[in-house]
Each structure stands twice: as structure tokens, then as C-alpha cells.
Amino acid sequence: MKRKLLSLIILCLVVAFPAFSQTKVITGKVTAAEDGLPIPAASIKIPGTKIGTQTDVNGKYSIAIPPSAKSIEFSFLGFATVRENINARAVINISLKSDATGLNDVVVTGYYKRNKESFTGASTTITRKELEKFNTNNIFLLIQSVDPAFKVAQNNVKGSNPNVVPEISIRGIGSVGSNVNTPLVILDGFQVSMERLYDLDINRIESITLLKDASATILYGSRGGNGVVIIETRLPKAGKFTVTYEARPTLTLVDLSAYNLMNANEKLTYEKLAGAYTFTNETVSDPFWTSDYQMKLDNLYAKRLIDVKSGVNTYWLSQPVTSSISTAHSLRIEGGNEEVRYSIDASYQDVKGAMKESGRKKYGAGFNLVYRIPNKISLRNYASLTGNNAYNSPYGSFSQYVNMNPYERIYDDSGQLISIYNKVGENFGNTFGGNVYNPLYNASLPYKDDSHSAIISNNLSLEWFALKDLKVDILATIEKQFDDSEKYISPLDTRFISVKAKEDKGSYVLTNGGAFRYEARLSLQYSKRIKKHQLNAVLAGELRASTVQKTIYSLTGFVDDRFVSPSLALKYATDTRPDYTETPERLLGIPFNIHYDYDNRFLLDLSSRIDGSSKFGKENRYGSFWSAGVGYNLHKEAFFENNIASQLRIYANVGENGNDSFSANMTSTSYQYSSNGVYNKQIVAQYTNQGNPSLTWPKVFQTDLGLQSKIFNRIDLRFDWYNKVTNRMISQITTAPSLGFPNNSIFENLGKVRNRGFEISTSTLVTNNDRNNFSWYINLNVVSNRSKLLEISDELKKLNESNVVRDTIGGVANIVRPSVYFEQGQSMGVIRGGRSLGIDPANGREMFLTSGGQVTYNWNSNNQTIIGNTEPKIEGVLGTTLSYGRLSIQANFNYSLGGDVYNQTLVDRVENATPYLNVDKRVLDERWKQPGDLVNFKGISDNTVTQVSSRFVQRENYIRFSNLNINYDLGQGLLRKLKLQRVKFNLSTNDLFRISTVHMERGTDYPFSRTYNAGFLIQF
């Protein structure tokens, strides 16, 4: 009996043991191998089952496992997945190594980091690995090559001038004015200027994130309406002491392919056909003087003909430009242990421009220190010095050389610069266009046009893991900026030839100033997971303040230019005196976000922010902003399992934020005391600025619908549709002189504009061979944006007239170029002018269609209408990447289709061309000559002024080979022999070619250029 009872007990224990085993719990912590910091929301799964969990805010986890479990899988986006055998362990701690290929699935908002699968906004992330493929110094074109929604405006006037920061926009133009559509830039949690980003050393960057809709940008409230660019810099790595050096030499070649100017023989022929050498002047009736003038013209033509026959054919375009080699150096030193890590970085870059003696020097140095107490505190401090030195060319505007006639010599027979051309005679006046001055003469004189800027800053960030589910972040920055500039023009410069008084000759303008800024933020982050429910919340308060000062001195009266010093000036420039301005700004904000997801399938985001800003009127100092977003990860559903799409997520959001990219003096009225004004024996205060205390926040209401999918494990697809409405947009308007406002201007809330469009991004793995380590990707991005002016105020209607550009030709103010025009129901990019029916073959005159449908030869401003739209129908990037072993080749092409352009070159250098300056070759070949000619341009002898006409609106489709990048890394075997950690070589080129359906001059003030780059990185 006892033996039976014992057998029964043993059997029960054997049966019960698996049940007890089911209660086994494994705990541990997941940290980042790079810095040892905990990884919240990391995924822990039991392979082959649906059992899983996530880490808490401190990176800790606890999971109950079945007896059949042999391993646990740890993963987090941006890190390599690790599978660990359980064996008999009850505690498993894991350090995950970063994986750059997955970092673009992590969204950095500047307030928190979130898995893209749980993010309900539209964003693009560029990782460190992607940045290294672009061996370029132009960070803006790099971002545009990855996401064309980040639009870099083509500046056909300033071209490739390294000292001009281009205008940037994301998802269209929402306000009227210059640089008022610029996105917000956040560097390591703090706001910086677009120029600061322009000068930033790319080697310092860990990732770039573009936030594009309301849900993504809402935590920036009044500043986020134009989109946000988030820059995260590299943290020091723990472990072995490491030194990294990179050198990047760049060859710059000027691009003059857009110019189609006449040579000497062609130009002389054109002048003869245009009647330039035939004297006609109704005011001269005396035959003697008529004969004398004609003789001088004949002699002038004969002299020039002899010069042309003797081989004079000066290519003036080559005189102010040069091929240059620029250099960039970057050094990084880092080391430390898990508790204390440090890094020192330094960079220097001398970007030489295409115009002689122009360029921009950029420099920076910083010390980064990280201290941490595991599970308690992480402290980071970064102290830095950054700056630039911009120097502009003494050769002046490139357009001066475009105008010069090719039959003119640069030097006389004795080798001296010829300073003046067209010196026909004392009494000849301007019959042949007047005197023309050699721009090289001015370039040979003493000249200075430099500016310097330096910023000393200290950034401090503290992470305190106060409770298991609560983290406290404290960020603070303080910086001091120093600015100065000098511009000196010699008294011997030709622009002072007509100035008689010596005390008014020459010019020296000095500007001194700077800024002091500080910013602080306190944020609380709460994270709690209960079974399948995940709740995250962020509450913050922040303060930003800055004070900008500037002093300007304008001096004149330089007797000699052998010594360049402001102390040699005889006086202040006429009607000027030292000018000092001080502009304070203050911003207070309270952002809040709450995020909920159920089983990582259903997502909900609710956010709000309250802002107070000193930029806006006392009647509208505060504003509130909000957003709501939802998402659904269909691929997490059991029913979704298929062999086609391994990922499918949809999201939508709606919200309202603002835009404060405006001057701080919009709402402040200011005065200035003047010794020139005395009233009742008292010094008067002059009106200098009219503020508008009623000015209120522009509100940007946005809606976004998005889809993201992975098809056949080869095609990554992303689609976004958006609708963005800016209400109460702000612009500076021109007022009637009778109002007495300074500069006849004031800022107003003007109307409402809508930007609507879509973005498509695809990346396709064409082939992949792990055995040979070969892969080929093709990526295509398509962007479309259409704007529409929904409401227009009376002030904006009046602004249309003040925007009209009138060029005085023949003593008459003519409208020869389109102006910015605003019309309700139309695009912000409309072109307005007369409707042309072309050139009448019978007489070579242009025919117009009036607003009443009549045909006429007379252009009338009242008949102007919409004749084009500069907004392209689609634009984007087509690229490909080939990788074989340690070699990678990447090529990107930017394209634009369906936009209109007004070809000003055809107006200025063909029809309104003066025979006294060089012109486009089409003047000879494509203008009307005789009855029956079917041509696009009026006759050469037709001297009537061509005004804005639909004849010059052309549809522009173009493709630009934006960059080619070749990278090669040395193998580990060779590196071990050399006792190095890494060696990388890089070759690249930017703007290799551009093919367009429109032939128009580009870079009229400063030419465009192409760059060829090499790179060498060594790490030991």
C-alpha cells in the first residue's frame, strides 16, 4: 500500500512540474552598447510564439516564458536584433549595437524619440550611414537629394555664391515675403538659424529628421508651421581611445553653359543691322553737325572692324571667374568608459567661389562630456566655438562682364588696363550709348567686402530617471554671438567719376554687432505599459530669449586709396550718422503630448501647445495650437499574414500650428533723435518704424493622410497626401505717403492661402546576393504641391500695384518683367502679362488679345491676365545605389516637370537688347527680317519696348545630375596589419549636368558652378 502511495505522489509531481515551469519569469535590462543608456520600448519576444513585451522607461523588462522556450529575441529600431539562448538563466541583460540601416525607422522630434510604427506624423530620417555616402559640403542639397519636399529655391541671380544662404521651404509657400517660409531648425534640442545649419560640419551630425505635418511639428507650436529640421549630433563612444581625421579637397569649375553671347564679328554685324552706325537725331538739323556725327560713327565702325579682322575677340565671361580648389578638414577624438565619456571635435573649411577672390571660411571646435550613473542620471555638456568669414569678390557683378562687347580690348598697346570705352568725342554725348567702364579697372583698385561671425555656446542636458516610469529632462543653452563687416570702395572707382566734391568720393561702411541668447526647457516623460496597452506622455515648459544689437557707420571722403582705414574718412556719408539698433525677443511655451497604442496596432496622439511671443502685438501676445493623430498597423493583425506585403500602416492627423519667421519690429513703433530737425528750439524725434499692435498669429491648419508599406520584402513605399491652409498670413505692405509711415510700409495680416499636394517615396531592391555581397537599389521620389490664394485682403490687392517693376527705357517707365501678383482663386506662383498672338508675319509686329477679345498691336497694362504658373506639376529625385563588397556607387538626379518660367533672357538680350552692349546670338538668327517670316521675335530695327508678354512664358522640364558618390572602405584584414580601425576613400561630383527645355541665362549676378570632390577618412 505504501509503495502504491509513493508511486502516486511521484506521478503527481511529474505531472505538476510543467505547470510550475510555466510560471518561470525572466527579467533583465536592455541598454545601448554605444553609450550604455537604457532603451525604452525595446521589443522582447519568444521566437515562434506570440509572447512578447517591451522595456519600461529605464530599459527594464519582465517576461513569463513557456517551458518550450529556448531563446529570447531583443530588438529595437535603429539597433541590430539579438537572439539570446535562455539555458537556465533567470536574468538576461542585453546591450544592443546600433544599426544605421534601421535608424530611419526612428523618429526624433527634439522632445522624444519614437518608433516610426507608433508615430502618426509625416517625417523623413537621414542616418549617419546615409550622410557618409554624400561627400559634399552643401547640406541643403544633400537633404533635398533624400527628400525633395525639402525644397531649395534656385536663385538665378546669386547662382552658386557661397555667401548666400538659399531660401528653403517645406510643402509650399504659406506667406508673402523673403525668408518667411523657412522651416525651424533644432540642433540638439535648441533653435538655431538656417545660416548656422548652412555652416555646420556634416561630420558632426548623427541624424537629420524632417518633420512635415501638424502631428509631427505640433510641439513647436507657433514656430512649427513651416516644418521642422531636427539635427542630432554624435555622442562620444565609450571604450578605446579613437582619433578620426577626414580631408575633403574640392575642385570648383564655373558653369557658363547657359550663356549664348555673340562673338566680336557677330556683334559688329548686329550693330550695323540695328542702325547703330547711322546717325539719326531729330534735334540736330544742321547738315554740318549731322555730317560730323556720321563721320565719327563711320570712323568708329572702321576701327572696330579692323580690330575684329586682326583677331580681337575678348571673352569677357572668363575674366572675373576662376577654377579653384577648396579644402575641408575634420578631426574627432573620443574615448572614456561607461560612466564618463568625452569627445573633442574640430573642423575648418575654406570654400572658394567661382568668382575670383570670393569664398567663405567656416570653422568650429567643441568639447563634449557625458557623465552617467546607471539607472539614475545622464549628464551631457557641449561647449563650442563656431564661426565663418565671408569674403566677396572685388570683380563686382557678373552681369557687367556679360554686357561687355567682345571687340573691345582689355589692355592698350602699352599693357595698361583700358578704363573707359566709347570715348567718341566731347560733344558726342550718348549717341552711341555713352561711356562704358571696364569692370576690371575697378577690380584692380583696393577693395574690401568681408564679414565675420563667431558664436561661443554651451549646451547642457540632464536626464534623470526619477521613477520607474518617469523621466525628467532638463536642457539649457547660453550663447554669445559676435558679428562685424567692412565694405570699402576706392574713391577712384568709376562710380564716383561724376562726383565733383572730394569729400563725397569713396565709401567705407562698418557694421559691428552681435547677439546674446539663452534657452531652457524642463520636460517630464511618462511611460507605462500594462499588458497590451502602452501610454506615453510628455509635458514641458520652455523659455527662449535673445537680444540682437547692430551698429552701422557709413563714411566717405577718401582722398587717396593707398591706405585703407576708416580713420582717413573726411566725414560721415551724406544724411547719415552712426546707427544703432537693439532688438529683444522673448518666447514662452508649454507643449503637451499624450500617446496611446493598443498592442502596437491602434495608435492615438493628442498634442497641444500654448505660446507667448514678444514678436506679436500686445493685443495678441498669446496663441494656442493643437493636433490629433491616429494610426493603424495592419501588418500586426493575424489576418494580414501574406506573401505580398510584410508591412502596411496607415495614419492620419489634423491640427493647427503657427509661423513666427518674421521681424521682431513688426509690432513696435520707434523714433530717432535728429540734429537736422528742430522745432520750437527743441531737438525732434523722427519717426523710424511704424508698428502694428493688432498684428496676430498666422495659423496653419494642416491635414495629412499617409500610408507606408513593404511589398515582396523588396519595395518600400510611402505615400502622403496633405492639405495645408495658412490663415492671417503676414506681409509687409506699401502704404500711401499721406499716412506718414516710415518707408511707407507696415506689417499686416493679409489673407488665406492653401497648399495641397502629395509625396510618394519608393525604394526598390532590384537584386541582392549575400554570397557575393552585392546589392542594387533604385529609389524614386515624387512631390507635387499646388497653392491657391483662398482669400485676399484689400491691403494685398494694393500690394499688387506696388510690386510692379518698371524699367526706365527711353525715358519711359516700362513693365518689362513680371512682378509678384496676388489674385484670389489663383496660385501664389502665377505669371501675369499681356496675351500675345505672336509676331505678325506681314510686318514683324507683335499682336495682342485685349480683355474684350479684340486683336491689337498696342500693349496695354489693363489687358494683363494670368499667363503662366511657376509651380511644377511634379518634381522629385530619381536615384540608384550599387554595392559590391566594400565598394558603393550612388547617383541621384533631380527633376521637375510642368512648371512655367518667364524667359527674361529673351526679353533683355534679344528684343529689348541695346546694340551698345553684348546680346544673345538669337538676335541675328531668330528675329523677323522680311514679310512672310514665321518667327518668334520682332525685327532688329524695331526699337519699341517689349513689355510683359505670354510670348516669353515657356514650359520648363528639366533633369539635373545632382550628385554622384563613390565610396570604398578598406578591409578588416589590411586594417589590422596597419593597426587602424577604418580607412575610407570617396569621390563625388555635384551638378554634373543640367538638361532643360528652356535656354535661359542662369547666375546673372554670380555664376553657377560644378564641384568635384575627393575624400579620405582615417581612424585609429
Side-chain angles (χ1 to χ4, degrees), residues 119-162:
F119 194 64
T120 61
S123 66
T124 298
T125 299
I126 306 172
T127 65
R128 175 77 193 156
K129 186 174 181 179
E130 291 174 292
L131 290 171
E132 286 188 343
K133 294 179 182 179
F134 293 87
N135 184 34
T136 178
N137 299 319
N138 193 327
I139 191 171
F140 295 153
L141 294 183
L142 184 156
I143 298 173
Q144 187 181 39
S145 294
V146 177
D147 189 344
F150 182 89
K151 187 167 184 178
V152 183
Q154 284 284 314
N155 193 329
N156 282 339
V157 177
K158 297 300 181 181
S160 296
N161 190 336

Side-chain angles (χ1 to χ4, degrees), residues 967-982:
N967 294 276
Y968 181 77
D969 279 271
L970 289 187
Q972 289 299 316
L974 181 57
L975 290 175
R976 281 192 293 268
K977 291 180 181 179
L978 297 173
K979 297 182 179 180
L980 298 173
Q981 293 190 45
R982 186 185 183 193

Side-chain angles (χ1 to χ4, degrees), residues 370-529:
V370 176
Y371 171 74
R372 58 183 295 272
I373 300 175
N375 304 323
K376 290 294 183 181
I377 289 176
S378 178
L379 176 70
R380 179 189 181 189
N381 192 84
Y382 183 71
S384 67
L385 166 67
T386 59
N388 65 69
N389 176 12
Y391 49 101
N392 295 303
S393 175
Y395 285 78
S397 173
F398 186 67
S399 61
Q400 298 176 88
Y401 302 87
V402 176
N403 289 333
M404 295 301 295
N405 286 311
Y407 50 66
E408 302 286 16
R409 301 173 185 268
I410 297 175
Y411 302 96
D412 60 22
D413 294 334
S414 62
Q416 299 297 313
L417 271 173
I418 300 173
S419 60
I420 301 177
Y421 302 102
N422 280 2
K423 294 178 67 176
V424 181
E426 287 185 15
N427 300 318
F428 205 64
N430 293 326
T431 303
F432 200 84
N435 292 337
V436 175
Y437 300 102
N438 186 348
L440 292 175
Y441 169 75
N442 288 337
S444 68
L445 300 173
Y447 180 82
K448 183 180 289 188
D449 189 2
D450 303 338
S451 64
H452 313 269
S453 180
I455 298 175
I456 300 174
S457 65
N458 191 85
N459 297 350
L460 176 69
S461 61
L462 173 68
E463 286 185 323
W464 174 34
F465 300 94
L467 300 171
K468 178 183 177 181
D469 302 316
L470 179 66
K471 185 177 73 166
V472 179
D473 286 336
I474 300 174
L475 290 86
T477 184
I478 185 171
E479 68 178 38
K480 177 66 176 176
Q481 180 171 334
F482 304 89
D483 298 317
D484 66 84
S485 65
E486 296 179 88
K487 184 170 184 178
Y488 170 79
I489 301 173
S490 168
L492 304 180
D493 191 285
T494 55
R495 73 192 75 185
F496 296 111
I497 282 182
S498 60
V499 177
K500 302 301 182 183
K502 288 186 177 181
E503 59 269 22
D504 291 327
K505 287 179 176 287
S507 172
Y508 207 136
V509 178
L510 297 97
T511 302
N512 298 307
F516 178 74
R517 304 181 184 92
Y518 62 88
E519 186 173 352
R521 185 173 81 204
L522 171 67
S523 66
L524 307 177
Q525 295 190 35
Y526 177 80
S527 177
K528 184 70 174 179
R529 186 170 188 87

Side-chain angles (χ1 to χ4, degrees), residues 139-140 162-166 168 179 182-183 185 187 192-201 360-362 386-390 451-455 481-483 517:
I139 191 171
F140 295 153
N163 294 320
V164 174
V165 179
I168 307 295
N179 292 314
T182 302
V185 180
L187 176 63
V192 298
S193 66
M194 190 61 70
E195 184 177 16
R196 186 94 167 263
L197 177 59
Y198 181 68
D199 289 333
L200 184 65
D201 178 20
R360 187 181 186 90
K361 295 179 181 179
K362 311 175 186 179
T386 59
N388 65 69
N389 176 12
S451 64
H452 313 269
S453 180
I455 298 175
Q481 180 171 334
F482 304 89
D483 298 317
R517 304 181 184 92

